[in-house]
Amino acid sequence: MNAGADTAHGQSKPQVTFWPEGDRVAVSPEATLLDAAKLAGVDLASPCGGDGLCGKCRLVVRQGNVSAQPTSLLSREEIRSGYVLGCQTIVTGDVEVEVPPESRPAAAQILIDLDAQRFRALHPVAETVEGHSGALTCKLYLELSPASLDDSLSDQSRLFREIRSRHPAPIMQLGLKVLKDLPRLLRGAGWKVTVTLGWRGGTLEVLQVEPGDTSARNFGVAVDVGTSTVVTHLLDLNAVKRLDAEAAYNSQRQWGDTVIRRIFHAATPAGLDELQKSVVGDINRMISVLAERNHVALHDITAITCAGNTTMIHLLLGLDPGPIRKAPYVAASTSAPPVRAVEVGIQINPRGLLYTVPNIGGWVGGDITAGILSVGLRRSDAVQMLVDIGTNGEIAIGNRDWTITCSSSAGPAFEGAGVRNGMKAMHGAIERVEIGPGDAVHFRTVGGTPPRGICGSGLIDLVAGLRAAGFIDRSGHLVPGSTRRIRESDGALEFVLVPDSRSETGKDIVVTQADLSNLLSAKAAIYSGMQVLARAIGLDFRQVERVYIAGGFGNYLDREKAIAIGLIPDLPTEKIRFVGNTSIHGADLGLLSVDAWQEMNAIAEAVTYYDLINYPDYYDEFLAARFIPHTDLSQFPSVRQPRDVEARV
Amino acid sequence: MNAGADTAHGQSKPQVTFWPEGDRVAVSPEATLLDAAKLAGVDLASPCGGDGLCGKCRLVVRQGNVSAQPTSLLSREEIRSGYVLGCQTIVTGDVEVEVPPESRPAAAQILIDLDAQRFRALHPVAETVEGHSGALTCKLYLELSPASLDDSLSDQSRLFREIRSRHPAPIMQLGLKVLKDLPRLLRGAGWKVTVTLGWRGGTLEVLQVEPGDTSARNFGVAVDVGTSTVVTHLLDLNAVKRLDAEAAYNSQRQWGDTVIRRIFHAATPAGLDELQKSVVGDINRMISVLAERNHVALHDITAITCAGNTTMIHLLLGLDPGPIRKAPYVAASTSAPPVRAVEVGIQINPRGLLYTVPNIGGWVGGDITAGILSVGLRRSDAVQMLVDIGTNGEIAIGNRDWTITCSSSAGPAFEGAGVRNGMKAMHGAIERVEIGPGDAVHFRTVGGTPPRGICGSGLIDLVAGLRAAGFIDRSGHLVPGSTRRIRESDGALEFVLVPDSRSETGKDIVVTQADLSNLLSAKAAIYSGMQVLARAIGLDFRQVERVYIAGGFGNYLDREKAIAIGLIPDLPTEKIRFVGNTSIHGADLGLLSVDAWQEMNAIAEAVTYYDLINYPDYYDEFLAARFIPHTDLSQFPSVRQPRDVEARV
C-alpha cells in the first residue's frame, strides 16, 4: 500500500485508491480510472483496450469525484449501485473505488491454465518423432585428442574436425565470443568438453563450449503465442519428451483483445516496444515457473520455438506489423531467421536460439504451419481440412500435392470475448450445458467450482440447447415468453443461465441478444470460410476425408452440437476429429526434430493463401450461415429441426 | 604542456618533465622514466618492451634525481653526458629529461610510410582480378515490385527473391536489426533500395538496406598487420582498384618488438586488451586518413580484410595467443569466421564485416597464405619458392600439387631492430651504400634527407661492401686496422658509417660488432631455412624455377649483394624476383574477389607446415650459414672472394 506521500507535495493531483488492496496513486488531470489502475499496478481486465466496447473494466465508486461517460454496457441498476467502466470514467478529484472480482483478469488467479494441464495428456510427442533427426539444438560430449607436434591443428579446427566426425555439418559457424574462450577452456578441461550446436538456416553454429560432460542436460521450450493465451511447454531434448506445460493470458490484452487493436497500439510511440516486452514477460514468467518446478537450470535451456499468428510473431520479434493490417496485407517477414533469444529479451541460455515457426502470409500464421505439420495434412493422399478456431478462424484444405488456406474474421467470441459473461476455459467456466426438460438448465464448470462465466464449448452447448428448446429462433433471436429465464434488461432481451444466488460473483450469469449475435457471426465466419475455400477449388465437403478442429476449446466440444448450430459441416462424426492446440504441438515437433522444422519451412513455402474476398458471393454465404444451422437446411440433413417449438413462435 | 598542478597536492609524488615539449607528469615511487613517458603521453621508442635490451629509449637527464641500472648499451661518453635508458632508470625525485630525436619512434614523424607510397605502383590489382567473381561485399540496387494482392510476399521474401534473381545465394542470412527497419524503409523509399551483401562462410548476409541507389559507392580496406608495420589500403570495390595506401608502425611495439614479447604481454592482466586496442587504434587512424583524403564516408566502407602472422591476427581479434608460443604451437583459430568489424572496434560501416586471411599454422600466418596467392605459387607446374623477410622469415616451396612452409626465427634485424642505428626505410634512412675506393663511404638516403640511421637494404649493401673491402672477415668480424673508420668503443669494435658532423642526429652513425653479429644470424636463419626446407623434400635450389623475395625492404634490395652476403641462394638473377609486400597484395585480391578469398582458404588447408627442428642437422646448417657468404663456398660459385684483402688479415 502506498503511503499518502503524494498529497503532501502535489495538492493539484487527484488521488485514486483501489480497494480491497488499498493501492493509492496520484494522477494527472483527464486521467481515466483505467489509466490510474495501470499506474497503480492494479490488474484490471480491459480486452477492448480502453475503448468502452467490452464492458470488462467495471469498477464500483465508493466515494469521490468522477465524470463517467454514458454507456449501454451497464444496467441502470448497476449504475445506481456505483458501477462505472474504468476506461470511460475521468478522475476529477480524490476517489476511492472497489475492484469487483469479475473485473480481475483471470490469469492472475490461476497457476496453470487448464488448457495446458489437459494438453499434457495429448499428442505423445515421442511417438510422433520416432526415428527423429535430432533437435534444433543438441549437445555433444567430445574427448578431443590433445594437440601435439604431429597434430597441431588449431583449437577451432580440432573442435570442428571432431564435431564433423559425429554430426553432419556442411557449413559451421562460431561466434567470436566462443572462440575467445576456447584456448583456456579446452586446456582447463583437459580437452574434454561439451559443445552445444544449433541449426541456423543451412548452417550449424557452435553456440557454446562447456568443460566436462554436460550433455545429459539439454532442454528446450516451445511456445504457442496466441492472441489471447500463451501456452509454454518445457521439453527434454535428449529424452525427446515434453516434461511440463504452463499457460497464461497474453498480457498484451491490456491494449486490446484483437490482432487489429494490437497493430493499432504498435503504431503509437513506444507501443511496439510495450507489446514486445509484455509478451516476452509472459513467456519469461512461464519459463521460470517450468524451470523451477522441473529443476531445470535456465542455462540448460538452449532453444525456444515459437508459433503464433503473423502479427504475434512480429510483436514478439519487435517487427512492425503495420502493413499486415491493410491490403495487400504484407508481413515484414514470414520466415524470420533464428536469433539469439536474449536479443528479444527471452531468458534462457544467453547463447540459446529463438526459432519462430514460419508464417504462410500476413493473415495465416505459423500456428497454422504448425497445425498442418501436426495433423499430417501434407502427408496424406486424401483431401483433409484443418480449422483452427482461436481469436481468428484459420482454415487449410489440401493433401500432399496442394494446400490452400484462408483466414476468416471470426472474432474471439468462442474465447469468451465479446460475450457479456464469456471467459476462457478455466476454473469456474461453464463448459457443458444441457437445457431441459422444460427450462431447467444443467451445467458443469471447469474444476467443478461455482460458476463465474461461460467458455467456448459451453456457449456452443448453450446455443444448441436454446435452439432445441425453441428459446431462440433460426436467426438466433430470443423468443420472448418462451421461458421465464428470458427477460428484458435495459431494453434488450437476455437469457438467465445462472441466477445470482448460485454464481460465484453474486450476479446473474446471462447470455444477451448481443452475445448471441456475436456467436452466430463467429460461427458463420468459420463455416462460410470452410465452404468458400472448398468451393474455390471445386470441392464438396463430402469429398473431404477428415476435418480436424483445432483450438483451445476443441477438446470438450460436442461434435453433434457444433453441427447442430452450423459451426462445422454436417459430416459423419468419425470424419471430425478434435485435435486441441496443434500450434504448440507443431512447435514441440519442430524443436525436437530438424526434419520436422524443415517440413514446416516447406509447408510455409508450399501453401497458397486464398483471400476470401476474392470469392464473388462470400458475403452472401456468410449471411446464409448466420442462421441456425444455416439458411440452406439441405446442407445439414442430420440436424433435426425443433418443429414442435417452431410452431409456437 | 601540463600545468604544475600536481605539485600543489601531491608533495610525495616525484614529477618528471619531458623536454623539449615540457610535458610534466607525477609518478609513483619505483616508476621508471619509460613509465613516466607513457603516462605523460610522450612517444618513446621501446622495441624490447622495457627490458633494457634494445637501448632505444635513451633520454638525457638535465637535472634531478634518478637511479640508473648499469648498462652496456650506453658508452662511457654518453653516460658522462647524462644519457640513460628510460626503462632502466627509476625516478627518485623531481627530474627534467630531454628526449633526443633518435629516441622518437619514427612513425610519429611521417604521414605516409614509403613502403606504402612506393607500393602504390606495384601489383596492378585490376589486372590480377580480371574476370573477377565479385568482392566479399557488394551493393545491389533493386527496384522491387510493390506488394499487391496478387503478389503479397513478405518484405523479407520479396527482397530475397529479387536478390536471388541477380546473385547466386544458396543460403541467405539477415539480422534482426535489418529486418526491423525493413517495412518502413521499403515503403519510405518507394521500394527502390540498395542492399549490401556480404559473404560469411558459405552464406550470404544482407548487411544493410539503404533507400535509393547508393550502389555507386562501395569501398573496402585491406590491411597487412605486420609485427612492426601496419599497411592499409583503401579500395574501390566497384571499380576493382586500389585508391590509396597508408602505413604506420604497429603501436604494439611499446610492449616489445617481437611476436614472443607480444605473447608475453598478452598473458599479463589487461595485456591482451591493450594489445588489441593498440593495433585497432592504428588501423582506425589510417582508415580515417585514407577516407578523408579520398572523400570516402566511413559508412561506405563495408568490408575489411586483414592478413598477418597468426599471433597478430589473434591479437587483432582478441584471441589468446598463449599456446602459440610453446610446443606444439597451436593457434586458437587459423580460420576465424568473419565478424562484424565493430566487434573488434574497427570503425567502418557498423554492419561491415572483418575478414581475416586464414593462417596456415601457429608460426606460418595469413600473410604467407596471402603471399602464396599473390605470387601464384599454387598455379604453377614448376617448383617455386617464396621467402617473406619481415620480423620473422617465412618460407614456402611448392607448386600446384604440393606446398610446404616453414618459419625461421630470423629476428627483425633487417627491419632495423637489434641494430644500433637501424631503422625502417623512411626519410633519412640510408638505403644504398657503396664502399670504396679505399674507405670512402657513399650512401643514399630515402627522400634524400640527412641520414638518421640505416635500413635493411642499406645494411645488406653495407655488409657486402665491408666484406668486399676486407673490413670484415668471413665470419663477420671487423678487422682492426683495416681502416680508420673502425674504432673501439666501450671495449667493442664499430665501423663509423657517417660521422656526427653529417648526420641529422648530430651523432655518429655506426655499425657495431654486435650489429653485424645480429645481421649474420638473421641472414643465416633465412638461408639455412630455405636450404633445409628444399632438402627436406629432396630438392636442390637448381630445381627451383623462381624465388620470390617478399617483404617491406624487398624493392630496393640489390640481388647480387644479397647473394654476396649469402642471404639468398646463388641463382641466376633472372630467377630471383622481388615482389614487395605480398601480404597486403593477397589481402587486396581476397577483398576484391570471392574466388581469390576461397583460393586462400584452400591454400591454408592444403599447405603443410614443416618444423625446421625436425631436420637432423638444422643447427649445423644455421652455423655454416653464419659465414659470408657461407662455410661451403661451393654453394656460392658466383661470389668472388676478396683474396687481396684476405691476404692482409
Side-chain angles (χ1 to χ4, degrees), chain B residues 57-79:
Chain B
C57 58
R58 296 146 67 100
L59 295 167
V60 185
V61 176
R62 281 185 175 181
Q63 59 176 35
N65 305 302
V66 297
S67 160
Q69 290 289 310
T71 174
S72 64
L73 293 165
L74 295 169
S75 65
R76 275 174 227 147
E77 180 64 32
E78 286 173 329
I79 292 170

Side-chain angles (χ1 to χ4, degrees), chain A residues 148 239 242 502 623 639:
Chain A
S148 69
R242 183 172 49 240
R502 289 187 61 196
L623 289 180
V639 178

Side-chain angles (χ1 to χ4, degrees), chain B residues 23 30 58 73 76 108 220 230 307 448 472 527 532 552 560 593 607 631:
Chain B
D23 289 334
E30 302 302 306
R58 296 146 67 100
L73 293 165
R76 275 174 227 147
V230 182
I472 55 176
Y527 181 80
V532 162
E560 284 173 18
S593 155
V607 169
T631 313

Side-chain angles (χ1 to χ4, degrees), chain A residues 238-267:
Chain A
N238 287 330
V240 193
K241 71 172 187 191
R242 183 172 49 240
L243 298 176
D244 201 353
E246 270 289 315
Y249 273 118
N250 185 333
S251 297
Q252 293 174 341
R253 278 170 318 145
Q254 64 187 288
W255 295 289
D257 217 26
T258 62
V259 164
I260 292 290
R261 290 194 171 277
R262 308 276 170 88
I263 295 179
F264 276 127
H265 187 68

Side-chain angles (χ1 to χ4, degrees), chain A residues 167-182:
Chain A
H167 205 282
I171 300 173
M172 302 252 302
Q173 300 194 321
L174 179 72
L176 191 53
K177 198 185 152 1
V178 174
L179 189 51
K180 277 185 177 175
D181 295 339
L182 201 55

Side-chain angles (χ1 to χ4, degrees), chain B residues 262-295:
Chain B
R262 308 275 170 87
I263 295 179
F264 276 128
H265 187 68
T268 63
L272 180 54
D273 194 45
E274 285 173 337
L275 287 160
Q276 183 184 33
K277 289 212 170 94
S278 160
V279 71
V280 166
D282 294 336
I283 294 171
N284 281 337
R285 273 186 295 277
M286 283 185 274
I287 292 176
S288 165
V289 168
L290 288 169
E292 198 173 320
R293 196 161 60 217
N294 294 276
H295 309 291

Side-chain angles (χ1 to χ4, degrees), chain A residues 147-149 152-157 171 174 176 179-180 183 187 202-203 317-319 323 328 330-335 337 343, chain B residues 147-149 152-157 171 174 176 179-180 183 187 202-203 317-319 323 328 330-335 337 343:
Chain A
S148 69
L149 281 172
S152 60
L153 268 189
S154 75
D155 293 350
Q156 179 190 322
S157 302
I171 300 173
L174 179 72
L176 191 53
L179 189 51
K180 277 185 177 175
R187 287 161 185 82
T203 75
L317 294 173
L319 304 178
V330 169
S333 172
T334 45
S335 178
E343 256 196 275
Chain B
S148 68
L149 280 171
S152 60
L153 269 188
S154 75
D155 292 351
Q156 179 189 322
S157 302
I171 300 173
L174 179 71
L176 191 54
L179 190 50
K180 277 184 178 177
R187 287 162 184 80
T203 74
L317 294 173
L319 304 178
V330 170
S333 172
T334 45
S335 178
E343 256 195 275

Side-chain angles (χ1 to χ4, degrees), chain B residues 379-452:
Chain B
R379 293 170 176 218
S380 159
D381 290 321
V383 174
Q384 302 188 326
M385 201 157 196
L386 169 68
V387 184
D388 192 349
I389 302 173
T391 302
N392 266 354
E394 284 101 3
I395 304 157
I397 186 169
N399 59 18
R400 68 167 77 252
D401 299 320
W402 56 268
T403 308
I404 72 170
T405 62
C406 72
S407 171
S408 73
S409 317
F414 290 113
E415 294 190 309
V419 173
R420 170 86 64 91
N421 292 120
M423 65 183 287
K424 287 275 299 172
M426 296 178 303
H427 281 278
I430 295 169
E431 58 171 353
R432 303 316 280 273
V433 178
E434 289 285 340
I435 294 180
D439 60 4
V441 172
H442 307 275
F443 63 85
R444 195 180 79 198
T445 62
V446 175
T449 56
R452 296 198 296 126

